[in-house]
C-alpha cells in the first residue's frame, strides 16, 4: 500500500474510516499466504491504532517507515513538520513496546537552512536512540519557489557534505547492529528476485523487510515463502541457508 501520508486515509469517507480499518479489512479478506506492507507514515498524524494493527494482524508486516527529517525542535519548526524530538520518540517507544521485533525506517535531511552544529548533534542523538533498520539520507538542496531557498542562513556545501557522511556512517553502524539480531534465527522469506551479483542465488525479504540472499533457482522459487536460517549479517542485508 502506497501513500504519502497513510494516516489521512478515510477522512473523506462517510462514515469516516482510518488506516487501521483498512489493514484489518485486508487482513481478513486477502487469501493465504499473503503479506501486506505500506508506506509512508507522518509522525504528526500517526495513530496508535496502526501500531496495534501491525502488532496483531498476521498478514501485515512488522515495519514502520517514519521519516523524522531532523532531530532539533527549531529545525523541525522551520520545516513545519508539526512534531518535536520528544513527540517523535514517544511514537518509537510505543512501537518498541507493542511490536519489539518490528523494523523502523526513517528519512533525514542534513544542512537545512539555519541548522547549527548543536542542532545537527540532536539529529545524531535521535538516531542513537532509535537505531533505524534503514535510513534514507539527504543533504538539503534549495528548491525553486520555496521559502527556505531564499533564507540567508544557508549551510555551506562542505558542511552539508561532512554532516551527511557522519549520518551515513552512524546509520551503517546501526544497520549492521539491527541485522545482527537475525543471525541464527530461521525466518520466513518471500522470494522476489535473483541476486544480481550471483545468479545461483535468490533474494527475498523477511517480514520486517530485510533482504536475504541464499542459494536457489529463481525460476523455481520466485513468489514462494521459504524457511531460511540466517548465517551472516551484513549492513543492509542477510545471508542465509534453506532449511
Amino acid at each position: 500500500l502506497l501513500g504519502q501520508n497513510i494516516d489521512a486515509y478515510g477522512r473523506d469517507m462517510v462514515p469516516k474510516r482510518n488506516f487501521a480499518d483498512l489493514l484489518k479489512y485486508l487482513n481478513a479478506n486477502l487469501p493465504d499466504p499473503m503479506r501486506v506492507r505500506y508506506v509512508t507514515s507522518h509522525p504528526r498524524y500517526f495513530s496508535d491504532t496502526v501500531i496495534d494493527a501491525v502488532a496483531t494482524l498476521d498478514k501485515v508486516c512488522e515495519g514502520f517507515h517514519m521519516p523524522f527529517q531532523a532531530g532539533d525542535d527549531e529545525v523541525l519548526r522551520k520545516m513545519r513538520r508539526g512534531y518535536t524530538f520528544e513527540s517523535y520518540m514517544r511514537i518509537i517507544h510505543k512501537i518498541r513496546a507493542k511490536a519489539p521485533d518490528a523494523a523502523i525506517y526513517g528519512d533525514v535531511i542534513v544542512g537545512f537552512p539555519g541548522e547549527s552544529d548543536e542542532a545537527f548533534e540532536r539529529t545524531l542523538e535521535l538516531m542513537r536512540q532509535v537505531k533505524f533498520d534503514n535510513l534514507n539520507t539527504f543533504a538539503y538542496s534549495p528548491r525553486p519557489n520555496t521559502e527556505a531557498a531564499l533564507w540567508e542562513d544557508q549551510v555551506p556545501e562542505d558542511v552539508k557534505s561532512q554532516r551527511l557522511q557522519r549520518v551515513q556512517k552512524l546509520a551503517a553502524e546501526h544497520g549492521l547492529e539491527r541485522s545482527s539480531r537475525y543471525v541464527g534465527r530461521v525466518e520466513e522469506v518471500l522470494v522476489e528476485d535473483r541476486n544480481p551479483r550471483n545468479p545461483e542465488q535468490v533474494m527475498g525479504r523477511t517480514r520486517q523487510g530485510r533482504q536475504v540472499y541464499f542459494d536457489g533457482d529463481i525460476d523455481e522459487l520466485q513468489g514462494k515463502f521459504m524457511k531460511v536460517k540466517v548465517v551472516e549479517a551484513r549492513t543492509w542485508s542477510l545471508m542465509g541457508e534453506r532449511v
Side-chain angles (χ1 to χ4, degrees), residues 109-128:
I109 298 172
V110 301
F112 191 79
E115 183 186 63
S116 64
D117 290 340
E118 292 77 13
F120 173 66
E121 289 297 329
R122 289 288 284 168
T123 290
L124 297 179
E125 178 58 25
L126 188 148
M127 290 175 59
R128 294 187 187 102

Side-chain angles (χ1 to χ4, degrees), residues 66-125:
M66 191 72 59
F68 69 100
Q69 308 302 8
D72 181 74
D73 288 351
E74 179 61 18
V75 173
L76 290 169
R77 185 189 67 80
K78 290 181 176 180
M79 289 179 170
R80 298 177 181 170
R81 294 291 292 174
Y83 54 88
T84 65
F85 183 111
E86 294 302 326
S87 64
Y88 183 90
M89 288 307 304
R90 282 197 294 270
I91 295 172
I92 300 302
H93 293 323
K94 290 177 182 178
I95 292 172
R96 296 294 191 212
K98 293 188 176 182
D101 201 36
I104 300 178
Y105 311 102
D107 298 354
V108 61
I109 298 172
V110 301
F112 191 79
E115 183 186 63
S116 64
D117 290 340
E118 292 77 13
F120 173 66
E121 289 297 329
R122 289 288 284 168
T123 290
L124 297 179
E125 178 58 25

Side-chain angles (χ1 to χ4, degrees), residues 158-175:
D158 61 329
V159 175
K160 287 193 284 189
S161 178
Q162 292 169 8
R163 290 177 182 174
L164 185 63
Q165 291 177 36
R166 291 182 64 189
V167 160
Q168 290 172 339
K169 181 176 183 295
L170 185 59
E173 293 173 5
H174 293 159

Side-chain angles (χ1 to χ4, degrees), residues 26-50:
L26 293 173
N27 194 78
N29 289 277
L30 288 173
D32 292 320
M34 186 69 69
R35 285 182 177 178
V36 177
R37 301 188 191 279
Y38 69 89
V39 290
T40 295
S41 299
H42 192 300
R44 180 177 182 178
Y45 306 106
F46 189 72
S47 169
D48 291 357
T49 60
V50 176

Side-chain angles (χ1 to χ4, degrees), residues 4 38 51 69 107 115 119 123 130 146 180 195 202 221:
Q4 187 170 359
Y38 69 89
I51 303 178
Q69 308 302 8
D107 298 354
E115 183 186 63
T123 290
V130 177
T146 60
S180 297
N195 182 350
V202 296
L221 300 180

Side-chain angles (χ1 to χ4, degrees), residues 173-240:
E173 293 173 5
H174 293 159
L176 181 58
E177 181 178 341
R178 294 295 289 166
S179 286
S180 297
R181 77 188 195 276
Y182 290 99
V183 175
R185 286 168 36 171
V186 175
E187 295 290 319
E188 183 182 64
V189 175
L190 175 57
V191 179
E192 295 183 0
D193 209 342
R194 178 180 284 109
N195 182 350
R197 297 183 179 181
N198 184 347
E200 295 183 357
Q201 290 185 336
V202 296
M203 183 279 290
R205 295 181 188 271
T206 67
R207 286 182 58 89
Q208 296 84 0
R210 212 53 159 189
Q211 290 184 334
V212 185
Y213 296 95
F214 61 96
D215 292 343
D217 182 353
I218 189 61
D219 294 326
E220 172 194 352
L221 300 180
Q222 191 168 38
K224 293 183 179 180
F225 291 92
M226 306 296 299
K227 294 294 185 181
V228 179
K229 183 176 182 179
V230 178
V231 297
E232 180 184 346
R234 298 182 177 179
T235 304
W236 309 120
S237 63
L238 308 167
M239 300 299 296

